Amino acid sequence: MIPYPLRIGAPAVLLALVLVLAPAPAARAADEFVLPELALETYTLSNGLHVILHEDHRLPTVSVNVWYHVGSKDEKPGRTGFAHLFEHMMFQGSAHHDDDYFTPLQKIGGQVNGSTNTDRTNYWQNVPADQVELALQLEADRMGWLLPAMTQEKLDNQRDVVKNEKRQGENRPYAVAREALQRLLFPEGHPYRWTTIGSMDDLSAASLEDVQDFFRLHYTPNNASLCVAGDFDPARVKEWVAAYFGPIPPGRPLERLTEWVPTLAGERRAVAEDAVDTPRLYMAWHTPGYYAPGDAEFDLLGAILAGGKTSRLHRRLVLELQIAQDVRARQRSRELGGVFEIEATAAPGHDIAELEAVIDEELERLLDKGVTGEEVELARTGIETDFVRDLQEVGGFGGRADRLNRYHVFAGRADYLAADLARYRNAYAGAVGAWARRCLGRDNRAVLHVVPRGDLAAMPEPAGLDRTRLAGSAGAAAFVPPSIGEAVLENGLKVWTIPDPSLPLVQFRLEIRSGWASDPAGRAGTAALTADLLDEGAGGRDALDLARDAERLGARLRTTSSFDGSSVAIEVLANRARDGLELLRDVALEPDFPVEDFERVRRARLARVRQEARRPRDQAVKAFQERCFGAGHPYAQPYTGSGDPEALAALDVADLAAFHAAHYTADNAVLVVAGALDGETALALARDVFGRWAPGERPAPDVPAAAPAAAGSILVLDRPGAAQSFIVGGFPAVARRDADYTALDVVNTAFGGQFGSRINMNLREDKGYTYGVRSQLLALGGGGAFLMSTPVETGVTVAAMRELVAEMDSLRTARPLRGDELADNRNRLVMGFPQRFETRSDVAAAAGELALYGLPRDTWQDFAAAVAGVDEAVAAAAVARHLDPARLIWVVVGDAAVIGPELEAAGLGRVEIAGSGTK
């Protein structure tokens, strides 16, 4: 997967389908809701390519999504990692467009990504509605004409990128678990025994001919499906699909395993060591695969065991005994067979033996007595709501286009949505218990069916089709950003309403305009802990009561905090809006701050601090914040929100109660209502629920000017023996309301804010130094930072830093942002802008940001004009004022014995090695 996860989409037109869940329809009548039906058209080209069309005209965006029915399971021992390698190779250019795949799509506001797993490889583009032909053209070209453009140089480059990705993954805590677990579960020869990314040796040994042969076999139209979803004209799309994809020749028929569920003969155990602070326990069993009988029951069982605070294992391990930091249970569905996993991380001072003993007790109780109807109903309610929630996104990973392709590949039909939901509707407590009892006793068998495929042939090449000329706009669709209605209650609470009736879903977000920057002196972490404790007990109800109330509503309740704000948000079906908002009110306004839960949450935060101290990225960014803003500065707190150990240890519940009383006041808050409530209804509901909330006098946050370390200074945090260095370089920058913010946003997009940026094309695509490098404009209420970050192989640490300095200097001198590059990056921001309004939570969070930073409610309406106003002179002036490589402050986490002397000789700045003094 490309390290820039992106998403886009729009809900479908609603069609009536009333769901009444067993066992008692009358009892559930109040909970009936309308499920959107996905209107589809499917057909197959003569070369075997399956096509799925799904129209949705709410936003002027379209997702083009291609699935190849090939994953790591289709590889052979000794030749692993090929499917994942091709995920990368497919972005390197094809015969008619032998250039970077990202640039033509990103400059028109498109979003692009792909991923590989054991069973499939997918690629998607979310593009403006007028650019569908371009996305189809490029997808077809790499399907039919990738190999003529594949060179040894490209293969070597992307092989290095994949190796860096593998090193990056192996450098993370608990990285050894996945591979070790697969070796325990799967016998020699089973295609799930190796990891998707493959082995270093196999990647190194792969020849150009090896990977070309793999492509010829698997990346063919008769092994692929194409889904086009969104705002398009189906007649035109069919013409383009036929023209671009039709002439691609089919590949030879494939033999494909359909099921292979091994049987473990007894318990298999192993111990693996890793660089972590706390032990973690994994348990796994073989279960049915995608959409097979029992698959849904194990999804429900995962929720019952560890789906929330009221779940069996979370309640027992985390809340009651407090011997675990976290626990998860989930069904990992795959094509050949699933795996049900339980994963638990020990709390500090506890060990795996304790976890295992308690989990075994709970499993024995489950197998003996089964589950209750109430537990199944709670789990099913959450899944019901997730079905609606997930339909908000038309593109991206897990969006509707991806879902339809998944249904086609694994269920055999794209119109499987209702049948998918019916699996959970028809599940009952007895069946869940029965599947739990039989999961370890399933027979191991393989079944092969050979059926006629039929004659496949390519269509004739359309006359006049020029595949070397990139398709242009088909006529841009107008986009009007949602308007924000505002009313102010008598107590000073602002209510912002953003109606959208297209789905029966509503998001309430209460934004408190105080965050970590408002922490009292010496009490860093107060705001974060206050937000964390809100849903641990409120209005006389404990954490389990609150969680149970949310689960009964099918609601998603979240409390969060950031540098400048805190928020409580809940998303519910529209027919439960009042209950949802009342639950939000109780959590936000009436917290009990129970002492036992305070101590537990504080211990969890301290454990997070210790874990972050072992993660190179967290180490580097934390140290950079302190050197960028100055020790003790409000913005020097860890960006993860974990806090400072000494300050956390000094806090008590009285500090939290005092912070809450001072800052959680009606006149310091904005309630955002986004979704299926009109403005009048939303305002009346807000007045009923929050009308008696008292105003107050909040202390103004004290955000002093940054006090950065000396320009050019380099701090090396020693990590002996590390195979990679993590580099962060940057300096103080502008606040969110600064007049230069938009210009710097445009500049950053070109410089390092996207996959096709200057520094990523240099360090990743040209040099192969890294899996990904990015720059970021962190603009906050009282200041900000500009930073670049990347993991690189230890041996190229200094070379990578030199390249970053040279790229920033070039932006100021030899290669300023101008011409097509400037226009393309402006277009990327403007044309991709509609994709920010995909989900109710996206819209509410974006509105909350406007409220938090005091930005006008019509900021969205002015966005395109503001970006268009960034011409060459404006961009150059912003760069001259703010992006000077001489100001760079560096932090590097790596092997000081190797990189220290090289940095000393490089002349990039004054070097300090942590723990060894200044050199």
Side-chain angles (χ1 to χ4, degrees):
M1 183 173 66
I2 302 303
Y4 290 83
L6 304 162
R7 58 185 187 174
I8 173 178
V13 177
L14 299 183
L15 298 178
L17 176 59
V18 177
L19 302 182
V20 183
L21 301 187
R28 291 183 51 81
D31 291 336
E32 293 176 359
F33 67 95
V34 178
L35 177 71
E37 182 178 285
L38 304 186
L40 307 176
E41 181 179 0
T42 64
Y43 62 97
T44 304
L45 298 185
S46 63
N47 59 8
L49 177 68
H50 190 79
V51 182
I52 306 165
L53 303 182
H54 166 52
E55 292 182 68
D56 179 351
H57 302 283
R58 190 175 70 92
L59 289 179
T61 59
V62 176
S63 179
V64 173
N65 184 296
V66 173
W67 274 41
Y68 292 95
H69 199 168
V70 57
S72 56
K73 79 170 189 315
D74 301 294
E75 300 159 352
K76 303 296 181 186
R79 289 292 183 268
T80 65
F82 281 23
H84 177 257
L85 179 62
F86 264 109
E87 177 204 316
H88 289 254
M89 295 301 299
M90 292 279 268
F91 291 98
Q92 299 306 302
S94 49
H96 305 103
H97 178 68
D98 193 7
D99 201 351
D100 172 68
Y101 188 85
F102 293 89
T103 301
L105 291 165
Q106 290 186 334
K107 74 180 182 181
I108 52 91
Q111 298 179 337
V112 186
N113 219 322
S115 68
T116 315
N117 64 25
T118 54
D119 302 308
R120 63 96 184 103
T121 303
N122 70 341
Y123 301 93
W124 54 262
Q125 304 85 45
N126 300 333
V127 297
D130 61 312
Q131 300 290 334
V132 182
E133 184 183 4
L134 174 62
L136 292 170
Q137 178 187 9
L138 290 172
E139 275 290 6
D141 214 64
R142 60 182 178 181
M143 179 185 290
W145 290 272
L146 183 79
L147 294 187
M150 184 184 294
T151 64
Q152 188 68 48
E153 180 182 8
K154 289 181 181 179
L155 174 61
D156 292 342
N157 175 274
Q158 290 307 303
R159 186 159 41 196
D160 287 343
V161 169
V162 170
K163 288 180 178 179
N164 270 312
E165 181 182 359
K166 186 173 177 65
R167 293 187 191 99
Q168 183 175 329
E170 291 172 346
N171 207 31
R172 294 171 180 162
Y174 306 106
V176 300
R178 180 55 48 201
E179 194 166 343
L181 198 60
Q182 287 181 232
R183 286 197 299 267
L184 285 173
L185 281 168
F186 298 103
E188 291 286 350
H190 195 286
Y192 289 159
R193 186 173 171 84
W194 51 85
T195 60
T196 299
I197 201 168
S199 78
M200 289 279 201
D201 291 342
D202 289 358
L203 290 171
S204 297
S207 69
L208 185 61
E209 183 179 358
D210 289 335
V211 296
Q212 288 176 335
D213 287 344
F214 189 81
F215 181 88
R216 292 187 187 99
L217 182 61
H218 295 287
Y219 296 81
T220 62
N222 48 305
N223 197 42
S225 54
L226 165 69
C227 181
V228 182
D231 183 21
F232 62 88
D233 177 349
R236 300 182 76 181
V237 164
K238 287 179 182 179
E239 291 176 0
W240 291 328
V241 168
Y244 288 112
F245 289 91
I248 301 173
R252 68 177 177 84
L254 291 169
E255 295 180 354
R256 194 185 307 282
L257 285 169
T258 58
E259 187 178 8
W260 185 357
V261 182
T263 298
L264 295 183
E267 185 180 62
R268 304 186 70 186
R269 285 183 173 265
V271 176
E273 296 181 351
D274 201 357
V276 296
D277 280 319
T278 53
R280 179 176 289 176
L281 170 66
Y282 295 83
M283 293 182 177
W285 298 265
H286 290 291
T287 54
Y290 261 128
Y291 308 125
D295 183 40
E297 282 79 4
F298 278 109
D299 279 336
L300 290 164
L301 182 60
I304 291 168
L305 285 177
K309 289 182 180 178
T310 65
S311 63
R312 294 187 179 194
L313 293 179
H314 185 94
R315 185 176 65 243
R316 184 87 188 280
L317 295 171
V318 179
L319 298 180
E320 294 175 1
L321 299 177
Q322 299 185 23
I323 62 175
Q325 296 182 53
D326 54 60
V327 59
R328 298 179 180 86
R330 57 199 160 192
Q331 163 79 343
R332 290 185 179 271
S333 303
R334 295 178 181 174
E335 186 172 12
L336 303 185
V339 172
F340 187 79
E341 293 183 3
I342 296 176
E343 169 191 317
T345 306
H350 297 274
D351 60 31
I352 287 179
E354 292 178 86
L355 300 180
E356 186 170 347
V358 175
I359 291 173
D360 283 343
E361 287 178 15
E362 290 296 322
L363 289 175
E364 287 175 12
R365 186 164 71 90
L366 168 71
L367 298 179
D368 180 38
K369 300 185 180 301
V371 300
T372 68
E374 181 183 8
E375 287 177 312
V376 172
E377 189 66 23
L378 284 175
R380 185 159 44 210
T381 298
I383 290 173
E384 270 188 19
T385 308
D386 283 342
F387 262 75
V388 178
R389 185 178 288 122
D390 292 347
L391 291 176
Q392 295 177 96
E393 301 180 13
V394 74
F397 294 122
R400 267 179 277 156
D402 217 34
R403 177 188 287 265
L404 295 174
N405 257 331
R406 183 174 77 242
Y407 285 157
H408 166 71
V409 171
F410 296 138
R413 44 182 279 213
D415 61 339
Y416 193 71
L417 179 68
D420 191 7
L421 185 56
R423 297 188 303 137
Y424 302 96
R425 295 171 57 201
N426 296 331
Y428 60 98
V432 174
W435 277 104
R437 285 188 290 273
R438 69 179 290 187
C439 67
L440 293 178
R442 284 182 59 84
D443 292 335
N444 184 14
R445 67 178 189 180
V447 176
L448 174 65
H449 286 190
V450 180
V451 298
R453 182 176 293 272
D455 295 329
L456 302 175
M459 295 168 60
E461 183 82 2
L465 181 65
D466 184 358
R467 295 183 183 272
T468 64
R469 181 182 178 184
L470 292 182
S473 171
F479 172 67
V480 178
S483 296
I484 302 174
E486 181 184 73
V488 182
L489 303 187
E490 292 75 7
N491 57 8
L493 175 66
K494 290 183 178 179
V495 181
W496 285 9
T497 55
I498 312 168
D500 182 351
S502 58
L503 276 176
L505 198 66
V506 60
Q507 173 92 10
F508 297 104
R509 183 183 180 94
L510 187 68
E511 198 74 53
I512 307 295
R513 289 174 291 187
S514 299
W516 309 338
S518 298
D519 285 341
R523 290 291 189 268
T526 303
L529 268 177
T530 300
D532 280 357
L533 264 292
L534 293 177
D535 61 350
E536 296 294 341
R541 288 173 287 177
D542 63 18
L544 291 178
D545 290 333
L546 294 172
R548 189 175 293 111
D549 288 346
E551 290 174 11
R552 285 171 177 158
L553 295 174
R556 182 174 290 175
L557 176 67
R558 296 287 186 272
T559 64
T560 57
S561 60
S562 63
F563 286 106
D564 296 308
S566 305
S567 66
V568 185
I570 192 167
E571 187 174 72
V572 293
L573 293 171
N575 61 342
R576 300 167 185 167
R578 174 176 288 275
D579 291 338
L581 188 58
E582 288 176 348
L583 179 58
L584 182 151
R585 176 202 58 200
D586 293 347
V587 167
L589 273 59
E590 301 178 16
D592 296 330
F593 298 123
V595 174
E596 290 184 1
D597 291 300
F598 167 78
E599 295 295 347
R600 174 176 53 80
V601 172
R602 177 164 58 182
R603 285 196 299 271
R605 279 194 170 270
L606 289 168
R608 271 178 57 189
V609 172
R610 288 191 290 271
Q611 290 171 352
E612 288 168 4
R614 290 187 175 273
R615 291 198 284 259
R617 174 184 174 83
D618 292 340
Q619 286 180 283
V621 176
K622 181 177 184 293
F624 170 77
Q625 288 177 252
E626 293 176 350
R627 294 172 72 81
C628 178
F629 294 108
H633 192 282
Y635 292 160
Q637 296 190 49
Y639 75 102
T640 59
S642 56
D644 173 78
E646 293 183 7
L648 286 171
L651 288 173
D652 59 31
V653 292
D655 293 307
L656 274 56
F659 184 90
H660 183 272
H663 295 274
Y664 283 67
T665 59
D667 53 346
N668 190 38
V670 176
L671 175 66
V672 180
V673 184
L677 294 182
D678 60 73
E680 183 177 344
T681 302
L683 180 60
L685 183 57
R687 182 173 284 110
D688 285 349
V689 175
F690 285 101
R692 291 184 295 276
W693 187 12
E697 295 181 4
R698 71 168 175 133
D702 180 19
V703 182
S713 62
I714 305 172
L715 173 65
V716 177
L717 301 179
D718 190 18
R719 192 176 175 90
Q724 281 191 323
S725 298
F726 198 96
I727 302 168
V728 178
F731 34 67
V734 301
R736 179 63 179 85
R737 287 176 59 90
D738 192 280
D740 280 342
Y741 171 80
T742 299
L744 286 174
D745 192 22
V746 174
V747 170
N748 178 64
T749 302
F751 182 74
Q754 58 171 314
F755 185 88
S757 66
R758 290 187 179 189
I759 58 176
N760 198 58
M761 289 296 101
N762 181 342
L763 270 66
R764 172 181 160 132
E765 298 299 290
D766 183 33
K767 305 292 192 309
Y769 287 167
T770 179
Y771 177 57
V773 57
R774 64 173 299 184
S775 65
Q776 180 181 0
L777 179 61
L778 177 66
L780 303 170
F786 183 87
L787 62 152
M788 306 172 289
S789 61
T790 183
V792 299
E793 189 179 357
T794 298
V796 299
T797 303
V798 173
M801 292 170 67
R802 287 188 184 279
E803 291 297 330
L804 293 174
V805 171
E807 287 287 359
M808 187 175 289
D809 182 68
S810 175
L811 193 61
R812 296 168 59 88
T813 56
R815 197 172 151 222
L817 186 59
R818 58 176 50 160
D820 289 344
E821 186 185 16
L822 174 59
D824 288 347
N825 283 279
R826 283 195 309 243
N827 285 342
R828 169 171 172 72
L829 291 175
V830 173
M831 297 175 74
F833 187 60
Q835 300 163 17
R836 301 186 187 184
F837 303 95
E838 183 177 27
T839 69
R840 307 303 181 275
S841 59
D842 289 341
V843 172
E849 181 183 351
L850 298 183
L852 198 61
Y853 295 122
L855 296 168
R857 286 182 293 118
D858 61 358
T859 296
W860 299 338
Q861 282 71 25
D862 296 337
F863 178 80
V867 172
V870 181
D871 59 18
E872 293 180 1
V874 171
V879 169
R881 282 193 290 269
H882 301 287
L883 303 187
D884 183 355
R887 297 174 55 211
L888 283 168
I889 302 164
W890 297 96
V891 176
V892 183
V893 177
D895 190 341
V898 176
I899 63 179
E902 295 181 15
L903 284 169
E904 292 279 4
L908 290 172
R910 184 167 175 264
V911 179
E912 175 186 350
I913 297 178
S916 302
T918 302
K919 292 191 175 183

